[in-house]
Amino acid sequence: MEAREYRGEVAISYKPEAVIEFLRDPRRFAPCIPGVVRHYIDQDGSLRLRLRFDVGSAGIADISSITSDATIRISDYGDSYIIYNIEGRALGSSYSVELRILAKPVDRIYWEARASLGALIRILSRFFDIDRLVEEIARKAVENLTRCIEASESEFKLA
Amino acid sequence: MLYWLKIIRYLFVVKDFLIWVCALVVRLDAVIVGGGVVGLYTALDLSMRGFKVALIERSYIGSGTSGRMHGLLHSGARYVVRDPAAALECIQENDVISRVASHAVENTGGYFVALDGDDVEYQEEFLRSLRRIGIWHRVLDSGEALKEEPFLSPRARLIVEVPDKVVYAGDMLASIALTAFSEGALVLEQAELSGIEISGGLVESAIVMDRSSGEVRRLRTQALVNAAGPWAGRVAGMAGVELEVMPTAGVMAVYPRRLTRRVINRLRPPSDGDIVVPYHGVSIAGTTAKVIEDPDSASIEDEDLEILSSEASQMIPALSGMMVSRSYYSVRPLIRTESSKPGREATRDFKIYTHSKPSNMVSAIGGKFTTGRLVAEKLSDAASKLLGSSKSSITKDKRLLGGDFEELVEALRSSESSWIVERLRAHSSTLDWERLRGAVLSISVSLISIESRKILGW
């Protein structure tokens, strides 16, 4: 499957270890994922979610939002980074995303997403800017998570 | 008196026959590809403008996208926030279809239901947009709504009543076909377009596979009208034209009981599984959206039914304990909407194409069943222009055959249909007339297809 890469950064004023600790716990970060309709933690520790993405900006008649079932697993983490593997289905097609989040000692979170969108990319890219849509979804997810961290981690705030 | 009426009727039959002989020797004005709501209404529209047209449908009228919708005649409320232009078209056509096809429309009304936890901002924007566009609506309190619809979820927090209705798609499609035939259109089922002959940048003929006989036929025509829905890209390709159509499959789940009087919609940005339609004695939950590459290869997955069941039962909890009696899918041709402003205030969900080469071909993509007549009107305008006519559409006020027994009998006056006429007469004053009407209409379409073949000499 063809893979596409997206990256970005967002400002945050918390210590990296606090950020990563938050992001390692699906019970804490799951409710912060934008568009989550329901979620539960499976026996193997993976997070299973139903998401609804707002795709109104894509301008497709009769499709304002897309329902997706996804599974999120933590594949690796360290003091200042975490890597997620996300697998899901949307619009009848499978997709997978590797999302890397790096919390540096300065006041920023850097993220990188490598997405394999399968048949979706072939079909949808003829009709609208799918790169922009995926980037928007990834950016919103990281921004939401950041807001959640800021709301809960006041004792680890950077000076 | 009856003797003279019979003579006059005979003369009209002879006259029609002679006109068609001439048409065959010269050629048709238009061949319309696709027997869905747009194709059928285009056949009616162009016939009423005086053109000699033939519609070809590769399968049976009502078996494609138009016959597989969810049954909702939109009030437009679903689109008020994201697509106000489409919303306005919907409410206008809702009124037209209710008038011209009253026998195929049930005035159920509809509720938009917001549950606790749903997006309050969207709800406020929804109400503002309804007012702005002028779609009638009424906010109910949950007590009143639950009295009216006892199976509604007790979690309902905001209920807005709108003029949604239910359209009996099969009845309506058959009615359009019969009316088009009575206006002079030929309607051919089991007739598949297999090629387009082009000469000098113009369509000369449609090559048609007659599926009932296996023979290949040629229909000479002045214009080709592509109303093939999700297959429009394939049809255009036969003429060397590239048309971007995104076939999207949507699944519907049918529950064996009608639990509501009204259409129930979820009050949120349009999404999967947010409509439950009361259709005769069943409830239909829809729909999903699955992008596919080939409109002939859609399938129903467990995940589709699970999403529908999960979403529908949030609005009507009793559905969660009910088995789905059957499911079906519909393939829609979706298009990218065009926005004239960054705020997407004005969008259209259908497009009419007048191609540059071949220059006597027009295509329509997109739209909904509710706006099928309107799309056909615009398509017919484009076709008429190609054919050198400036006559306007009058389908807006043309009552469709099918509601009145005597009118239906008159439309089936050919001797081949005497057995169906006898059957109609036998049932017309029984308790089952309304239930049997749909079956009779469907059979009638087969009869006009046979008649159309005879006229063409197939």
Side-chain angles (χ1 to χ4, degrees), chain B residues 11-39:
Chain B
L11 287 173
F12 271 108
V13 169
V14 169
K15 180 205 89 174
D16 280 345
F17 176 72
L18 287 174
I19 287 171
W20 275 104
V21 166
C22 291
L24 286 172
V25 170
V26 180
R27 53 183 170 169
L28 294 164
D29 292 319
V31 169
I32 298 155
V33 184
V37 64
V38 173

Side-chain angles (χ1 to χ4, degrees), chain B residues 19 40 47 101 109 146 197 212 218 243 275 316 320 339 357 389:
Chain B
I19 287 171
L40 286 167
S47 299
L146 280 165
E197 278 183 351
S212 59
R218 178 180 278 105
L243 210 52
I275 301 173
I316 303 169
S320 68
S339 167
K357 209 173 179 183
S389 167

Side-chain angles (χ1 to χ4, degrees), chain A residues 15-110:
Chain A
K15 292 180 180 177
E17 54 267 28
V19 170
I20 301 304
E21 194 175 314
F22 181 93
L23 294 175
R24 275 180 54 201
D25 187 350
R27 282 166 304 183
R28 294 170 82 184
F29 73 74
C32 305
I33 298 171
V36 69
V37 173
R38 62 170 191 247
H39 67 276
Y40 68 93
I41 297 168
D42 213 340
Q43 287 175 348
D44 62 0
S46 62
L47 176 64
R48 295 190 185 265
L49 320 109
R50 174 158 290 169
L51 301 157
R52 195 165 285 121
F53 301 114
D54 187 334
V55 294
S57 62
I60 308 170
D62 250 333
I63 297 184
S64 280
S65 56
I66 295 172
T67 305
S68 172
D69 286 334
T71 303
I72 300 179
R73 293 184 180 85
I74 296 170
S75 67
D76 194 11
Y77 65 92
D79 287 342
S80 60
Y81 75 93
I82 187 161
I83 302 174
Y84 298 106
N85 274 333
I86 304 160
E87 288 179 345
R89 284 180 64 76
L91 295 173
S93 286
S94 300
Y95 64 85
S96 65
V97 181
E98 184 186 81
L99 177 63
R100 293 168 176 260
I101 295 178
L102 179 63
K104 286 194 158 175
V106 290
D107 55 355
R108 302 201 89 74
I109 286 179
Y110 297 88

Side-chain angles (χ1 to χ4, degrees), chain B residues 258-307:
Chain B
R258 178 173 176 152
L259 291 177
T260 61
R261 286 167 52 195
R262 295 168 180 80
V263 177
I264 307 295
N265 305 263
R266 187 74 175 268
L267 209 179
R268 67 181 180 195
S271 184
D272 293 335
D274 53 8
I275 301 173
V276 177
V277 179
Y279 199 84
H280 289 297
V282 302
S283 300
I284 300 178
T287 180
T288 55
K290 196 186 299 189
V291 178
I292 56 177
E293 290 197 86
D294 178 0
D296 286 321
S297 68
S299 60
I300 298 170
E301 312 289 336
D302 287 343
E303 65 179 351
D304 299 312
L305 298 176
E306 194 278 318
I307 287 172

Side-chain angles (χ1 to χ4, degrees), chain B residues 163-175:
Chain B
D164 279 342
K165 293 171 186 149
V166 167
V167 59
Y168 298 119
D171 289 13
M172 177 141 173
L173 293 168
S175 292

